[in-house]
Structure formats: C-alpha cells, structure tokens
C-alpha cells in the first residue's frame, strides 16, 4: 500500500514493567465529574455524564523522573490545569454494564486535561462545540500507564497537582460523581469502546491558570507522577 504522504506515527504510551507500549486510539474526557468542580464552574447537583474528546495526537508522554514540556498554546490568556485519573481501555465493547466494566480497563495513568478556559467559556456561551478550548495540540500530557493489577486501591486514590511547589488541586478518586464503571457503562452505550481508548475521568475543584515558566507536578496515589513545565 502506498500513501500520498507519510502517515502520522501511532501515538503510544509506555507501560510500567512492559516492553510493549499502549497504542492510543480515541481520547474520551468526562465533563464536570467532581461535585466541587461542577460548583466552581457554576453548576450544582448530579447531572447525566457528558463527554468530549481530544485527538490522540494531543498526547504528550511524560517520562518518570523527567520534566516534560508543553508550549503555552496560541489564542488563550487563561490556560488551565485539570488533574485527572486516566483509565486505559484494554478490551473494547458496547453496552457494557457497570458491573462488568472494570475488567475492560487495562491500566491507569496520571493525566492533565489542559484547557484554554477563556475559549471554552466563549464557546459555551455561544452554544458552540468546545474543541478549541479542549482539543488543541499538546493538551493531553500523560504519565506512563500502570497495569490495573499493580495500581492499588485506585478507586480511593488521592489525586493532586502542585504548581511551582504549591497545592492547586487535591482530592480523591472516590469523589467522582460518576465512577469509572458507571462512566464506561454510559460511554459504551454511545460508542463501541475499543482497545487503546483512553478515558480522562474528570477533574476535582481548584482548576486554575498556569503561565510560561510554571512547573506542574501531577500525581495519583499508586501511579507514576508527572512533572510538566509550560514553556
Ligand atoms: Mn477535564
């Protein structure tokens, strides 16, 4: 087979303890999935889960022990961090029930759902898609994936992000409004999940801006932390 031009490389994420990398297919993100974050965004109460997506090539792999970099993106004056637990789907399926959902998860990673908040806000206000606020280049830093069996008590894990050494977001995965099993049930009713899909499960309260020169340290207990500098 020949192509008109060189096709882009497969985006992939290293796996802890394995030579094989996890090839990334789709990136799903859950909106407003922690109550205190929903409140800070001007919403209250439990609403049905909703989803948006990022392209796979928004991934920036952050290696353990290294400071990765992302560029300050164009067009925005309000570039926000959102620390998130990322679930990596190993086995696909449609209409997966919550009771069966967790076995579809291959492993977990620490992710940042970087957001051009001002542009997202303008789009929300106009009733337009969020893509420009969420799905831009380098908007999905992620750490190495820890296989589920080695990830400990992930559903009760503390997650946090510090900026220049000071806490910005700190919460616990147990506070997800829609837990991972329920999220997979809803997602797989709308899309047939496929191996390689990533789910950014949502962010807790404390989202805030970073500027060039800031360094973020993102962590989820039991997983490999990430250090990301905005340049
Ligand atoms: Mn998010």
């Amino acid at each position: 087979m020949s192509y008109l031009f060189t096709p882009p490389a497969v985006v992939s994420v290293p796996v802890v303890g394995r030579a094989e990398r996890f090839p990334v297919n789709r990136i799903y993100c859950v909106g407003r999935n922690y109550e205190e974050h929903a409140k800070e965004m001007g919403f209250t109460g439990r609403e049905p889960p909703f989803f948006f997506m990022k392209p796979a090539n928004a991934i920036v792999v952050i290696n353990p022990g290294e400071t990765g970099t992302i560029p300050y993106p164009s067009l925005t004056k309000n570039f926000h961090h959102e620390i998130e637990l990322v679930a990596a789907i190993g086995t696909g399926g449609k209409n997966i029930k919550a009771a069966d959902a967790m076995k579809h998860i291959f492993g977990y990673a620490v992710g940042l759902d970087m957001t051009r908040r001002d542009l997202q806000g303008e789009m929300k206000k106009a009733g337009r898609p969020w893509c420009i606020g969420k799905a831009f280049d380098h908007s999905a830093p992620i750490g190495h994936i820890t296989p589920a069996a080695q990830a400990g008590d992930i559903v009760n894990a503390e997650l946090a992000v510090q900026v220049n050494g000071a806490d910005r977001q700190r919460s616990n995965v147990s506070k997800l409004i829609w837990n991972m099993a329920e999220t997979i049930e809803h997602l797989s009713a709308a899309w047939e999940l496929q191996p390689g899909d990533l789910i950014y499960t949502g962010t807790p309260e404390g989202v805030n801006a970073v500027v060039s020169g800031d360094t973020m340290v993102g962590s989820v207990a039991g997983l490999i932390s990430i250090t990301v500098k905005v340049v």
Side-chain angles (χ1 to χ4, degrees):
M1 191 184 301
S2 64
Y3 297 101
L4 280 171
F5 49 85
T6 306
V10 172
V11 174
S12 64
V13 180
V15 177
V16 174
R18 297 280 289 268
E20 302 92 342
R21 296 170 69 101
F22 182 93
V24 177
N25 191 3
R26 285 89 55 97
I27 304 176
Y28 295 99
C29 304
V30 187
R32 296 197 289 265
N33 203 18
Y34 286 83
E35 187 176 0
E36 294 305 315
H37 172 62
K39 285 180 185 168
E40 74 182 352
M41 299 305 288
F43 297 84
T44 53
R46 186 174 164 108
E47 54 187 338
F50 67 93
F51 309 104
F52 58 93
M53 298 180 78
K54 294 177 186 259
N57 67 5
I59 288 287
V60 179
V61 172
I62 309 297
N63 294 316
E66 295 178 7
T67 298
T69 60
I70 55 171
Y72 194 93
S74 63
L75 303 180
T76 186
K77 292 185 170 58
N78 198 17
F79 183 40
H80 274 202
H81 54 74
E82 294 192 357
I83 185 68
E84 309 207 0
L85 170 64
V86 181
I89 297 296
T91 310
K94 55 184 172 182
N95 298 318
I96 298 165
K97 292 300 162 205
D100 302 321
M102 297 304 277
K103 60 174 178 260
H104 289 261
I105 299 176
F106 167 78
Y108 301 96
V110 177
L112 284 164
D113 166 16
M114 298 305 297
T115 302
R116 295 193 281 208
R117 190 73 69 200
D118 44 357
L119 302 184
Q120 182 200 24
E122 288 169 19
M123 291 299 121
K124 273 187 193 172
K125 205 170 165 183
R128 291 175 180 165
W130 292 5
C131 305
I132 199 169
K134 287 289 195 179
F136 52 96
D137 296 343
H138 315 291
S139 62
I142 191 170
H144 289 199
I145 294 169
T146 297
Q150 299 159 39
D153 187 16
I154 196 71
V155 298
N156 292 298
E158 188 174 64
L159 75 169
V161 65
Q162 297 176 310
V163 177
N164 303 330
D167 261 15
R168 284 281 185 86
Q169 294 182 270
R170 184 171 294 278
S171 189
N172 194 288
V173 173
S174 63
K175 294 183 177 175
L176 281 168
I177 295 172
W178 296 95
N179 67 31
M180 288 186 281
E182 293 166 331
T183 292
I184 287 170
E185 178 168 324
H186 280 92
L187 258 182
S188 69
W191 289 271
E192 180 172 354
L193 289 180
Q194 296 174 0
D197 289 342
L198 295 176
I199 305 171
Y200 278 62
T201 56
T203 198
E205 68 277 17
V207 298
N208 208 333
V210 286
V211 296
S212 294
D214 284 347
T215 298
M216 301 173 282
V217 175
S219 61
V220 177
L223 307 182
I224 307 292
S225 297
I226 57 173
T227 301
V228 185
K229 184 174 184 177
V230 182
V231 298

